Amino acid sequence: MHSAQDHPTPREEALGRIAGSLVVSCQALPGEPLFGAGIMARMAVAALQGGASGVRVNGPEDIAAVRAAVPVPVIGLWKRGDTGVYITPTLADARTVAAAGADIVALDATDRPRPDGLTLTETITALHADGVPVIADVSTFDEGIAARAAGADAVATTLSGYTTEDPPPPGPDFALLTALAARLDVPVIAEGRISTPQEAARALSLGAHAVVVGGAITRPTAITERFAAALRSVGNPLAEETPA
């Protein structure tokens, strides 16, 4: 006879449910046209209809609205500030995210000091005691190794290129993804600057457990800017042909 411990909880099953698939990051910040929990819930429904197997959502209000709108796994986080450790920076923030309905909590797992003074290991241990799985957002290979040692249930390449003063490089960090996938015994999630279906497919072929895409799908202002910039780069051929 199996004990209750032999069967994974719904939260523990969430990582398995996104295996080999697309997770869409449905996020909008204050001041952006799509900001608002109701709008993000609709965005999540649209992502699900398009074939996503999970969503990544920022903030307790948005998480609660999305959780009520879709049945797929919700990866929750809470961006607090915009410098240093700001993705779910404290244990209290992580618990709030879980209470709002997130199946999995994503948090900054870089080697920078955490605002509440806890270590990454202490934070993850406390969340595991609550029955909450953790995705560790890292920026380097060493941070990924350390995050796994701290108990992370999965590691994501989310913060690669975003922890220094230099602007992030173009394109996904496939090298980091490949290295982590080859070394770690937990799922590695590809996230960060994935802008085309081809890049997403490549990430999966390189060993990603799942692929998170955000801006290329859910940020129409940024998408429009890319198209507009491309047109500006070639000028206006019709204007050049117009007689003086």
Side-chain angles (χ1 to χ4, degrees):
M1 196 171 171
H2 293 291
S3 70
Q5 292 181 342
D6 293 329
H7 301 283
T9 66
R11 276 178 165 161
E12 291 168 336
E13 290 175 348
L15 278 169
R17 291 171 61 196
I18 63 172
S21 66
L22 174 67
V23 173
V24 173
S25 183
C26 299
Q27 299 184 39
L29 298 176
E32 295 180 348
L34 299 187
F35 178 71
I39 299 175
M40 284 301 102
R42 289 178 177 270
M43 185 72 78
V45 171
L48 179 61
Q49 290 179 353
S53 293
V55 289
R56 180 171 161 122
V57 185
N58 172 45
E61 291 185 5
D62 286 14
I63 292 166
V66 170
R67 173 73 292 156
V70 298
V72 297
V74 175
I75 300 170
L77 63 143
W78 197 0
K79 291 180 177 177
R80 309 274 273 168
D82 54 13
T83 59
V85 173
Y86 69 92
I87 296 179
T88 326
T90 70
L91 174 59
D93 294 334
R95 283 175 163 156
T96 300
V97 164
D103 300 288
I104 311 166
V105 171
L107 49 78
D108 183 308
T110 62
D111 59 8
R112 299 172 294 185
R114 307 186 66 77
D116 58 5
L118 297 178
T119 66
L120 182 61
T121 300
E122 290 169 337
T123 300
I124 294 175
T125 299
L127 291 172
H128 282 173
D130 295 341
V132 178
V134 174
I135 291 178
D137 290 345
V138 304
S139 66
T140 67
F141 177 78
D142 288 344
E143 288 171 353
I145 299 301
R148 175 59 186 129
D153 301 282
V155 173
T157 59
T158 314
L159 289 170
S160 173
Y162 297 106
T163 57
T164 68
E165 296 299 322
D166 298 325
D173 192 341
F174 288 127
L176 177 59
L177 168 64
T178 302
L180 289 174
R183 177 66 70 87
L184 296 180
D185 61 350
V186 294
V188 176
I189 312 296
E191 181 175 7
R193 302 185 300 279
I194 297 172
S195 59
T196 68
Q198 293 73 26
E199 288 176 343
R202 183 182 177 196
L204 206 62
S205 71
L206 292 174
H209 176 81
V211 180
V212 177
V213 179
I217 295 175
T218 59
R219 296 176 69 90
T221 300
I223 297 167
T224 303
E225 287 173 349
R226 288 172 54 205
F227 279 89
L231 297 187
R232 285 194 300 270
S233 71
V234 299
N236 186 342
L238 294 178
E240 295 172 3
E241 294 173 4
T242 302

